[in-house]
């Protein structure tokens, strides 16, 4: 056993070294290009604490204050492969690459919400909260890929908190989560202000921690109206200590329904997070149902559908096999929006390993 632990430490140490070397590599950024007639345009709305002229890493920089709001029209190439983001390898070309074909900056949240409701008149909005080590460009393109590969029938809004966008910035990002929670709560209040308005929260990795903190803050302030406006929550590969999750959920009380946790047991990114935070497994790699004791939480295991991409850290939306399974459930449900998530929660028992 001691030998196995030493090997684990050595393996994680080597992985950490690779991550540090990766910090020296340049990050891809969203680029403009002329539209292509066969491409598909995905409008992505963005509420961000980042300065709009800094779409790359911000590690070591002062966190910006205030919020910025804009829409970016992201072109998905006709050659798009399910689960992938086709970054340009040379000059950006809408025939083969994800590119930006248009943007509109809003003076504040009100004109952005007006634009959302004019273009998508439904009452439910998908809000995506990205994870650790993400830049604005990367998270915009990821949400566009999700919108392209899944039929949600909801407008998509990215909440982009000030992640360092650097593998060395793990502690910086954990502090940024606490820095950002007030702004996320304020955004959710605006999105659910009208009677009947709903928000479905999709959070990844450390973004799951931010999401839970925002819901906890709403509950502690007595804002049950906001919580009633949450039509469902999905935490993908949540980078949260399981004990902390229990306390957050206890403070929230009645969790929005459905409430799903997507796990992948061989998530290499979360293995490193666990090593950094004290060698305790994170919530996204739990291996037993008793680790989540609440009856109002459904845990779904995607381990068997992992294809080795993205460090097995985003399997439900990057693995073609996982996307086929989820889209099959959507098709059987015959409806989009949060309804397909509700149907999935009913169809799959807790800690269900999804077969290929």
């Amino acid at each position: 056993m001691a030998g196995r632990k030493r090997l684990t430490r050595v393996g994680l140490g080597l992985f950490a070294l690779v991550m540090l070397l990766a910090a020296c590599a340049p990050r891809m950024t969203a680029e403009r290009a002329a539209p292509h007639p066969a491409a598909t345009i995905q409008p992505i709305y963005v509420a961000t604490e980042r300065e709009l002229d800094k779409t790359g890493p911000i590690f070591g920089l002062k966190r910006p204050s205030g919020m910025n709001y804009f829409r970016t029209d992201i072109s998905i190439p006709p050659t798009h492969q399910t689960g992938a983001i086709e970054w340009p390898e040379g000059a950006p070309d809408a025939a083969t690459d994800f590119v930006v074909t248009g943007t509109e900056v809003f003076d504040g949240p009100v004109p952005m919400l007006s634009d959302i409701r004019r273009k998508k008149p439904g009452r439910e909005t998908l809000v995506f909260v990205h994870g650790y080590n993400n830049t604005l460009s990367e998270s915009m393109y990821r949400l566009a890929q999700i919108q392209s590969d899944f039929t949600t029938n909801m407008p998509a809004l990215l909440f982009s908190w000030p992640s360092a966008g650097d593998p060395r910035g793990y502690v910086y990002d954990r502090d940024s989560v606490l820095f950002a929670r007030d702004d996320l709560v304020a955004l959710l209040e605006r999105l659910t202000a009208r009677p009947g308005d709903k928000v479905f929260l999709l959070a990844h990795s450390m973004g799951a921690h931010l999401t839970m903190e925002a819901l906890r803050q709403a509950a502690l302030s007595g804002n049950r109206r906001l919580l009633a406006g949450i039509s469902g929550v999905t935490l993908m590969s949540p980078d949260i200590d399981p004990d902390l999750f229990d306390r957050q959920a206890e403070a929230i009380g009645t969790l929005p329904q459905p409430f799903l946790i997507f796990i992948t047991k061989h998530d290499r990114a979360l293995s490193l997070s666990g090593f950094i935070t004290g060698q305790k497994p994170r919530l996204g790699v739990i291996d037993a149902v008793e680790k989540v004791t609440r009856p109002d939480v459904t845990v779904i295991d995607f381990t068997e559908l992992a294809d080795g991409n993205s460090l097995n850290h985003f399997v439900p939306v990057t693995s073609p096999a996982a996307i086929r399974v989820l889209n099959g459930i959507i098709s059987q449900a015959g409806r989009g929006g949060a309804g397909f998530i509700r149907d999935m929660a009913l169809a799959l028992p807790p800690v269900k390993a999804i077969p290929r």
Side-chain angles (χ1 to χ4, degrees), residues 15-326:
F15 179 56
L17 177 61
V18 171
M19 293 288 282
L20 289 174
L21 292 174
C24 300
R27 301 292 282 262
M28 303 294 288
T29 59
E31 297 186 68
R32 285 180 174 269
H36 186 277
T40 303
I41 303 298
Q42 292 291 346
I44 300 298
Y45 293 88
V46 181
T48 182
E49 293 160 318
R50 297 173 183 267
E51 297 176 13
L52 298 186
D53 59 349
K54 291 184 173 67
T55 59
I58 63 170
F59 191 41
L61 301 179
K62 181 181 178 181
R63 294 180 184 90
S65 59
M67 294 288 292
N68 292 296
Y69 305 89
F70 67 98
R71 188 194 74 244
T72 179
D73 297 326
I74 297 175
S75 174
I76 312 297
T79 56
H80 170 64
Q81 299 293 310
T82 300
I85 295 175
E86 285 84 5
W87 291 95
E89 296 183 359
D93 185 347
T96 55
D97 310 318
F98 275 57
V99 297
V100 174
T101 58
T103 57
E104 181 175 356
V105 178
F106 303 105
D107 291 337
V110 174
M112 181 185 71
L113 293 179
S114 296
D115 195 70
I116 291 174
R117 288 161 181 160
R118 184 171 60 253
K119 290 183 167 58
K120 286 271 191 177
R123 306 303 294 270
E124 188 171 29
T125 304
L126 171 67
V127 173
F128 175 54
V129 185
H130 65 75
Y132 149 70
N133 185 27
N134 262 236
T135 66
L136 178 56
S137 290
E138 291 164 347
S139 51
M140 289 189 316
Y141 275 15
R142 178 60 68 193
L143 181 52
Q145 175 259 313
I146 291 171
Q147 284 289 89
S148 177
D149 290 344
F150 295 92
T151 305
T152 68
N153 294 328
M154 290 184 282
L157 190 154
L158 165 68
F159 181 78
S160 180
W161 52 277
S163 165
D166 189 300
R168 299 166 295 180
Y170 188 83
V171 175
Y172 181 98
D173 277 14
R174 290 185 73 181
D175 288 343
S176 291
V177 160
L178 302 182
F179 178 86
R181 60 186 170 186
D182 289 349
D183 287 330
L184 178 55
V185 170
L187 175 68
L188 297 177
E189 286 177 336
R190 287 190 175 276
L191 289 170
T192 58
R194 298 184 309 173
D197 283 350
K198 298 289 184 180
V199 166
F200 190 89
L201 285 164
L202 176 65
H204 177 239
S205 187
M206 199 178 286
H209 181 29
L210 172 53
T211 297
M212 290 298 293
E213 281 294 300
L215 296 178
R216 174 182 179 272
Q217 185 160 307
L220 292 178
S221 66
N223 195 346
R224 305 311 301 187
R225 183 199 61 77
L226 187 157
L227 294 171
I230 306 298
S231 60
V233 178
T234 295
L235 307 181
M236 290 188 291
S237 300
D239 189 357
I240 311 176
D241 182 302
D243 295 334
L244 175 59
F245 172 78
D246 288 342
R247 292 300 295 270
Q248 290 170 324
E250 180 182 0
I252 296 166
T254 301
L255 294 176
Q257 290 300 302
F259 195 104
L260 289 88
I261 298 175
F262 290 174
I263 69 169
T264 306
K265 294 175 185 175
H266 305 308
D267 186 322
R268 294 190 291 276
L270 288 186
S271 295
L272 178 60
S273 296
F275 181 73
I276 292 172
T277 55
Q279 300 187 29
K280 181 176 182 178
R282 311 302 282 171
L283 183 62
V285 290
I286 58 172
D287 57 3
V289 64
E290 59 266 19
K291 300 291 178 65
V292 177
T293 58
R294 296 183 62 100
D296 54 356
V297 176
T298 300
V299 180
I300 301 176
D301 184 0
F302 283 83
T303 301
E304 295 302 317
L305 300 182
D307 58 4
N309 293 328
S310 302
L311 305 173
N312 289 335
H313 191 44
F314 219 153
V315 172
V317 298
T318 59
S319 162
I323 292 170
R324 282 195 300 272
V325 168
L326 293 178

